[in-house]
Amino acid sequence: NAGVMQNPRHLVRRRGQEARLRCSPMKGHSHVYWYRQLPEEGLKFMVYLQKENIIDESGMPKERFSAEFPKEGPSILRIQQVVRGDSAAYFCASSRTDDIQYFGAGTRLSVL
Amino acid sequence: SQQGEEDPQALSIQEGENATMNCSYKTSINNLQWYRQNSGRGLVHLILIRSNEREKHSGRLRVTLDTSKKSSSLLITASRAADTASYFCATDAMGAQKLVFGQGTRLTINP
């Protein structure tokens, strides 16, 4: 049973470009979460999704950030018009219900 | 807002010694989880303790939870060089799915 798969592992973008981060949850998991980690800090919650629904987006910046978890395919975290402050590691987690969240290896975004 | 805080921020011990890390939080929770993160890698789930539990063991790990003090501790016994990593506690607010992480404890095991 493969774990949570995130791609790409590393992503480099120039200011103003778009970043698309993908996450495939563990088999049988219908809950997906996105977190952001700045250097030397803990993870900060961004958004919680179930299939085709955003359940909690209280941690998402109001502008430029969006997330989806379509009926088919991976969850996508999309950052439009990236700025240097968006540079961070973005982690996806999945769970079966309201229990243990299993994390992917993360996508490290660097904005030049 | 709910926030987990680990103590100490950094801990350096000799191989074979025990390592204790503490975590405090602010609001009522359903459960508390501990994760390990090796440098530049993802998080590995270590152990989950529910709000109605006081102590839990898993191999060389021992976790305690004191809901009256809103605190938890993680004890790693007979430490090994491979235990070198950052350790985070994460709590969930009752009624919410999201996890709130502390800043982490950076543990270094010296051979």
Side-chain angles (χ1 to χ4, degrees), chain B residues 7-70:
Chain B
D7 168 54
Q9 290 190 347
L11 179 61
S12 180
I13 61 173
Q14 293 300 119
E15 194 168 18
E17 293 180 338
N18 296 341
T20 299
M21 289 157 273
N22 303 295
C23 167
S24 61
Y25 57 93
K26 294 184 178 178
T27 64
S28 296
I29 61 172
N30 283 323
N31 58 59
L32 184 145
Q33 304 182 56
W34 285 90
Y35 288 85
R36 183 186 73 223
Q37 184 180 36
N38 290 86
S39 181
R41 309 289 290 275
L43 275 74
V44 174
H45 183 266
L46 296 177
I47 198 164
L48 178 151
I49 185 165
R50 301 196 184 279
S51 59
N52 61 353
E53 298 176 309
R54 292 296 168 260
E55 187 171 313
K56 205 163 183 179
H57 297 254
S58 177
R60 294 184 296 113
L61 306 180
R62 172 177 169 253
V63 169
T64 63
L65 179 64
D66 187 336
T67 52
S68 66
K69 294 181 180 178
K70 291 186 170 59

Side-chain angles (χ1 to χ4, degrees), chain A residues 13-76:
Chain A
R13 287 286 178 267
R14 296 190 180 279
R15 281 179 295 172
Q17 291 184 320
E18 178 181 289
R20 292 172 70 87
L21 288 64
R22 297 176 187 76
C23 169
S24 295
M26 286 178 68
K27 188 176 181 180
H29 288 192
S30 59
H31 301 234
V32 166
Y33 315 79
W34 286 93
Y35 295 83
R36 177 165 62 179
Q37 184 180 35
L38 296 172
E40 306 301 320
E41 293 189 10
L43 279 69
K44 296 288 193 295
F45 169 79
M46 298 181 74
V47 62
Y48 160 45
L49 311 100
Q50 294 182 23
K51 281 289 186 182
E52 299 184 277
N53 290 303
I54 295 175
I55 307 301
D56 181 353
E57 56 181 347
S58 58
M60 287 281 269
K62 292 289 185 285
E63 298 177 346
R64 303 186 297 108
F65 284 72
S66 62
E68 62 176 9
F69 188 17
K71 187 176 180 180
E72 302 290 340
S75 175
I76 306 288

